[in-house]
Amino acid sequence: MESKLQSVLNDLGQPVGLPLPRWKPPAAPRRTVMDHRLARLEPLDLNRHAADLFTAYAADQTGATWTYLPYGPFATEAAFSEWAKQTCLGDDPLFFTIIDPHTNRAVGVASYLRITPAAGSIEVGHVHFSEALKRHPAATAAMFLMMDHAFSLGYRRYEWKCDALNAASQRAAKRLGFTFEGVFRHSNVYRSRNRDTAWFSIIDTEWATLRQAYLAWLAPENFDSDGRQKRSLGELRGAGK
C-alpha cells in the first residue's frame, strides 16, 4: 500500500522532508540481557549456548529451517561452533540467543544487523527458531523485546528482510506488524542461486500503538490454561487503530 509522503516546501518552493530539529543519532545496541516472563535474550556465548543450540536445531531432521539461510545445516556441534565463532561474535551482526526461561535452554537466535545510527535504522535478521520455539509465544516475546529495545534507544526505522520466496517469513513479518515495502529484484546470490529480497519495516511513529498491542497479546490473561491465545496479535493491532 502506498503512503502519502509528508513534506514541506523549501525557500525555492520544492517539497522536502519534514524537519527533525531534535534528531540525534542513537547509540549502537550493546550486549545486554533482555528479559520477559516468556523469553530471555542473552548475547550469544559459545561456551554457554552452542551445545543447546546445536541440539535444538538438530530436531529439524529435514534441514528445512535452513533453506533460506546462507549457511547450515551443520553435521556436528564442532562445525556449528566454528561457524558461530566466525559469524556470531561481532558487533554487526550482533547476535542474541533466545532462552526458554522455563528450561533455561537456548532454543533460537536472532540478531541486529545493518546498524546505521546516522540514519536511525536497524534491521533484525538471522532469525532462526528451533522446533521448540516455533509457534510458541516465546518467539513473539523475543521479537517484541528486540523491537522495544531498538526503539527505546532512539531508532526511527526497524527493518525485516527475507527471500521473497520465503512465504513463512513474510507471513511472520506481517503478523508482527511490519509494513511490506516491496521486492528488490536480484538483490543477492546465496547457495549458488538468485535471491529477490522482500523488504518490511516498522517506524517510530507506529511503535507506541503497536507496542500496546504486543503488551496486550503477551499479557498472561490473554492465554487460557492450555496456553492458547484468546485474542490474536492481528486482532489486537486492529483494535488499536
Side-chain angles (χ1 to χ4, degrees), residues 126-239:
H126 297 282
V127 178
H128 192 185
F129 297 158
S130 70
E131 297 300 315
L133 188 54
K134 286 182 179 179
R135 295 174 293 279
H136 191 283
T140 301
M143 293 296 94
F144 165 74
L145 286 170
M146 293 189 71
M147 286 184 217
D148 199 41
H149 184 60
F151 284 115
S152 71
L153 287 174
Y155 284 86
R156 307 173 61 235
R157 174 179 170 84
Y158 192 79
E159 297 178 335
W160 176 295
K161 299 171 191 158
C162 63
D163 190 312
L165 297 175
N166 188 347
S169 185
Q170 292 213 47
R171 285 195 302 270
K174 293 172 183 176
R175 173 185 171 271
L176 292 170
F178 287 82
T179 295
F180 174 65
E181 295 182 328
V183 173
F184 280 43
R185 300 177 300 166
H186 287 201
S187 67
N188 203 351
V189 175
Y190 75 124
R191 296 189 185 271
S192 299
R193 65 186 185 228
N194 175 63
R195 168 168 151 159
D196 297 338
T197 298
W199 284 50
F200 298 82
S201 73
I202 296 170
I203 57 175
D204 54 355
T205 53
E206 300 165 339
W207 180 239
T209 299
L210 184 55
R211 186 177 191 273
Q212 291 306 308
Y214 271 99
L215 292 175
W217 189 85
L218 292 166
E221 56 267 26
N222 190 46
F223 296 90
D224 64 20
S225 58
D226 294 320
R228 293 186 294 254
Q229 67 178 7
K230 297 178 181 178
R231 300 182 71 188
S232 71
L233 182 58
E235 180 183 356
L236 290 164
R237 284 172 40 223

